[in-house]
Amino acid sequence: MTAPGDTRSRDNLLARAVRIIEAFDAGHASLPVSAVARRTGLPVPTTYRLVGELLQLGLLERGADRRVRVGVRLWELASRSAEATTLREAAMPFMDDLHAAVRQHTQLGVLDGEDVLYVERKSALGADVPNITRTASRLPAFACSSGLVLLAHASPATQERVLAAPRRVYTPLTVTDAGELRRHLAEARYRGYAVVRGWVHEQTAGVAVPVWGPDNTVLAALAVLIDNESARVATVLPVLLATARGISRALGAQPPPLAPVADECDPTGG
């Protein structure tokens, strides 16, 4: 039996509660408790007990169909993240203008571990391409334009950790070779933007640029999704770069001068 002062039981309890919350995603917004148990791998009695406690705390909610979902209380607490709130508040007016100008999906992401975490997303009705991301969803950093931009400005240790991790193949166009990915990172750092064509969805090309923070390090990546076949990067890149610089200045940064824009038709562009 665990002693009253032993922190191990509390750590285990917290870890299990986090696993339960992580069971919910864009494809599983609400679940029966039995499905939560299957998705977490926790014993059913343990899951029912912890779900009950999370319901009492407001971190989960139960619908009329008896399924459970993430509660408003959890959103309230998460919204207190100072960095994310400041970033979103600074970016939103600029993203609204960008969205109106390009009329394509736009998104803002930050590097979290080995993934890009999307803190804001603007969906466009009638956009040329599908977008599988949602606000608060993730993609592996190696696989998307936002991830290449963020990794290009990350520490060598972070880059190597991501490149050493298993890499999922999304489409026949997904680049997983570590050497080729290092080349893309070098190009993204030099050019000031990254282009990824069909790595996550064959129809979609992502174009991303860095957003600089007040300490003049890259805080986030701003991206636009365009059609992989017909759309040209040159149609969105200037306004995307200008928008990112506006957000950066709103955050108190002095972004560096832009490098010359490479030929959009360059086959090494992504």
Side-chain angles (χ1 to χ4, degrees):
M1 183 173 178
T2 305
D6 195 334
T7 61
R8 289 175 294 178
S9 62
R10 293 198 294 271
D11 291 342
N12 284 338
L13 184 64
L14 180 59
R16 291 174 180 181
V18 170
R19 283 166 65 183
I20 287 173
I21 292 170
E22 289 179 337
F24 301 91
D25 55 29
H28 304 85
S30 66
L31 294 165
V33 178
S34 58
V36 175
R38 287 195 300 272
R39 287 176 62 81
T40 59
L42 294 172
V44 173
T46 300
T47 304
Y48 270 91
R49 177 172 57 83
L50 290 176
V51 165
E53 293 178 4
L54 292 169
L55 287 167
Q56 290 179 2
L57 293 169
L59 301 180
L60 295 180
E61 297 175 348
R62 193 187 297 277
D65 58 1
R66 306 299 295 167
R67 296 162 70 96
V68 293
R69 58 181 180 265
V70 172
V72 174
R73 175 65 172 162
L74 188 60
W75 170 84
E76 177 190 352
L77 294 172
S79 297
R80 297 177 184 175
S81 168
E83 184 172 290
T85 300
T86 301
L87 174 61
R88 290 183 71 253
E89 288 177 349
M92 285 295 287
F94 295 94
M95 289 187 70
D96 287 340
D97 290 343
L98 172 65
H99 190 249
V102 300
R103 297 184 180 181
Q104 301 296 333
H105 303 300
T106 61
Q107 49 203 31
L108 184 70
V110 297
L111 189 65
D112 186 51
E114 297 164 8
D115 300 329
V116 175
L117 172 63
Y118 292 98
V119 297
E120 188 55 69
R121 172 184 180 269
K122 295 283 185 179
S123 183
L125 293 175
D128 295 335
V129 296
N131 184 4
I132 67 171
T133 65
R134 298 287 186 273
T135 300
S137 68
R138 294 171 177 263
L139 279 177
F142 83 89
C144 57
S145 58
S146 294
L148 292 188
V149 164
L150 293 166
L151 285 175
H153 295 275
S155 68
T158 298
Q159 293 179 4
E160 293 306 314
R161 185 181 73 249
V162 171
L163 293 178
R167 292 182 286 280
R168 172 182 170 184
V169 176
Y170 287 88
T171 78
L173 300 175
T174 306
V175 173
T176 58
D177 178 73
E180 190 170 353
L181 287 169
R182 287 190 180 91
R183 178 175 61 81
H184 281 286
L185 295 181
E187 289 175 351
R189 188 176 182 90
Y190 170 74
R191 292 179 174 179
Y193 66 92
V195 181
V196 163
R197 295 186 176 278
W199 290 15
V200 176
H201 192 291
E202 288 190 72
Q203 289 180 247
T204 305
V207 187
V209 298
V211 173
W212 299 81
D215 57 355
N216 284 335
T217 60
V218 171
L219 180 63
L222 181 68
V224 171
L225 303 185
I226 57 178
D227 183 76
N228 193 25
E229 295 293 330
S230 59
R232 296 174 61 85
V233 173
T235 63
V236 299
L237 186 56
V239 68
L240 186 61
L241 287 165
T243 302
R245 292 178 75 79
I247 298 171
S248 300
R249 291 194 177 100
L251 290 166
Q254 294 294 327
L258 296 174
V261 175
D263 183 356
E264 190 272 320
C265 296
D266 182 348
T268 65

